[in-house]
Amino acid sequence: MSKTLYILNGPNLNLLGNREPEIYGAKTLNDIEADCRAFAKDAGYDIIFKQSNIEGEIVNHIQDAGSNAAGLIINPAAYTHTSVAIHDALKAIDIPCVEIHLSQPAKRESFRQISFVSQAVTGTISGFGANSYILGLQALINLLRK
Ligand code: DQA
């Protein structure tokens, strides 16, 4: 089985560190990537880590993960609440997928209460800041070891 995990990040997550730090925390996406790589390496996995502001590019990355990876973590950011294309791409691949969010969308504006992604993933982790990524990796790796 592949020892590669994909971690995909949607729009505006390239601005982490500066973007509404009271909601999303002080870590940059590079900091989060480094933390994820270290955690995955200890567990014997490689990471392919991507960010895109473009919906179709995220769909392409999901399809690539379906061909090359053992599992996928995705923070679809604002596309969580709008994207049928990302929902369909996740449904089309046959690897475990974990949806993660830094914030807790359930506590926020009403337009964040719907996730088009949740119906297409194995599970969701949200509200733990940057640690949501590590908790997501832990969940995914545990699942893959079963
Ligand atoms: C987010 C939550 C989304 O509602 C928002 O659009 C984001 C980030 C999070 O990680 O908390 O961009 O996915």
Side-chain angles (χ1 to χ4, degrees):
M1 195 204 259
S2 164
K3 283 291 191 181
T4 299
L5 305 176
Y6 271 52
I7 302 183
L8 302 181
N9 296 278
N12 300 305
L13 294 174
N14 54 314
L15 302 179
L16 287 178
N18 290 318
R19 176 191 179 203
E20 298 183 276
E22 66 288 357
I23 296 175
Y24 297 117
K27 283 197 176 185
T28 66
L29 197 60
N30 283 343
D31 296 333
I32 291 174
E33 177 176 354
D35 291 349
C36 288
R37 283 193 189 285
F39 184 88
K41 192 173 172 207
D42 282 350
Y45 286 89
D46 297 324
I47 298 284
I48 293 186
F49 195 97
K50 304 267 186 199
Q51 187 276 330
S52 178
N53 294 325
I54 300 168
E55 187 175 16
E57 282 186 2
I58 298 169
V59 169
N60 286 341
H61 293 319
I62 293 169
Q63 292 182 6
D64 289 346
S67 309
N68 302 320
L72 166 71
I73 304 235
I74 184 163
N75 182 351
Y79 290 139
T80 307
H81 317 297
T82 63
S83 180
V84 177
I86 289 175
H87 169 105
D88 285 351
L90 290 166
K91 293 281 265 195
I93 63 172
D94 197 20
I95 56 173
C97 299
V98 180
E99 172 189 5
I100 71 113
H101 300 282
L102 297 138
S103 67
Q104 172 66 306
K107 283 204 301 207
R108 300 181 62 195
E109 302 96 323
S110 58
F111 62 83
R112 294 185 207 276
Q113 306 303 315
I114 288 182
S115 168
F116 283 63
V117 170
S118 294
Q119 289 176 13
V121 293
T122 314
T124 301
I125 292 170
S126 60
F128 296 96
N131 200 34
S132 290
Y133 283 79
I134 300 299
L135 293 170
L137 271 175
Q138 208 164 30
L140 190 58
I141 291 168
N142 283 348
L143 205 61
L144 292 169
R145 283 184 175 151
K146 278 198 183 141

